[in-house]
């Protein structure tokens, strides 16, 4: 639990052969992924782009504010990098992970954020 006056933090790490939930404030979203090394391939650029665009579309329903504008800009930048890409550029997954952690209170109830978090966890690193 966060200390008094601190924002709650979310850390997305490696998930293997299990389910995980992201949520707080009584909201929980669960994503299931296969175990690493079981032949389940890591998501590609197209799959990650789809998840980013799904989150971007889901954010439209949230109130507009400084945090949402910053997250929108981050997601737009990532989408631009992934558009037409054959591979995920090194560091991109970590940047997205950081964005989800930074704006966790904003996206904790958005199931698209949970799906994106699951893909990032399957990418590791």
């Amino acid at each position: 639990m966060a200390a008094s006056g601190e924002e709650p933090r979310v850390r997305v790490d490696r998930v293997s052969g299990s389910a995980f939930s992201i949520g707080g404030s009584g909201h929980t979203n669960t994503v299931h992924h296969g175990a690493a090394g079981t032949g389940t391939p890591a998501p590609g650029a197209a799959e990650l782009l789809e998840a980013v665009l799904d989150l971007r579309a889901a954010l439209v329903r949230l109130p507009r504010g400084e945090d949402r504008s910053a997250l929108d800009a981050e997601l737009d930048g990532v989408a631009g990098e992934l558009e037409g890409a054959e591979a995920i550029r090194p560091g991109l997954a970590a940047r997205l992970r950081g964005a989800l952690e930074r704006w966790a209170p904003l996206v904790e109830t958005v199931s698209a954020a949970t799906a994106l978090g699951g893909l990032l966890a399957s990418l590791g690193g």
Side-chain angles (χ1 to χ4, degrees):
M1 178 168 269
S4 178
E6 290 182 21
E7 292 277 334
R9 304 271 307 159
V10 173
R11 184 171 192 279
V12 179
D13 205 349
R14 175 161 278 218
V15 176
S16 177
S18 40
F20 68 95
S21 295
I22 297 175
S25 310
H27 302 285
T28 303
N29 299 294
T30 303
V31 176
H32 300 271
H33 285 280
T38 62
T40 304
E47 190 176 0
L48 191 57
L49 174 60
E50 182 179 350
V52 167
L53 294 176
D54 286 348
L55 177 55
R56 183 70 176 82
L59 290 176
V60 171
R61 294 184 288 271
L62 296 178
R64 196 87 165 129
E66 188 176 318
D67 285 349
R68 194 186 121 205
S69 294
L71 180 54
D72 285 346
E74 183 77 33
L75 293 174
D76 287 345
V78 167
E81 290 179 44
L82 290 170
E83 190 73 40
E86 293 182 23
I88 299 168
R89 185 180 56 78
L92 185 66
R95 192 170 107 208
L96 271 173
R97 227 179 260 112
L100 288 180
E101 290 172 1
R102 193 169 36 259
W103 290 294
L106 178 66
V107 300
E108 72 181 1
T109 62
V110 180
S111 61
T114 305
L116 178 56
L119 289 175
L120 293 172
S122 69
L123 287 170

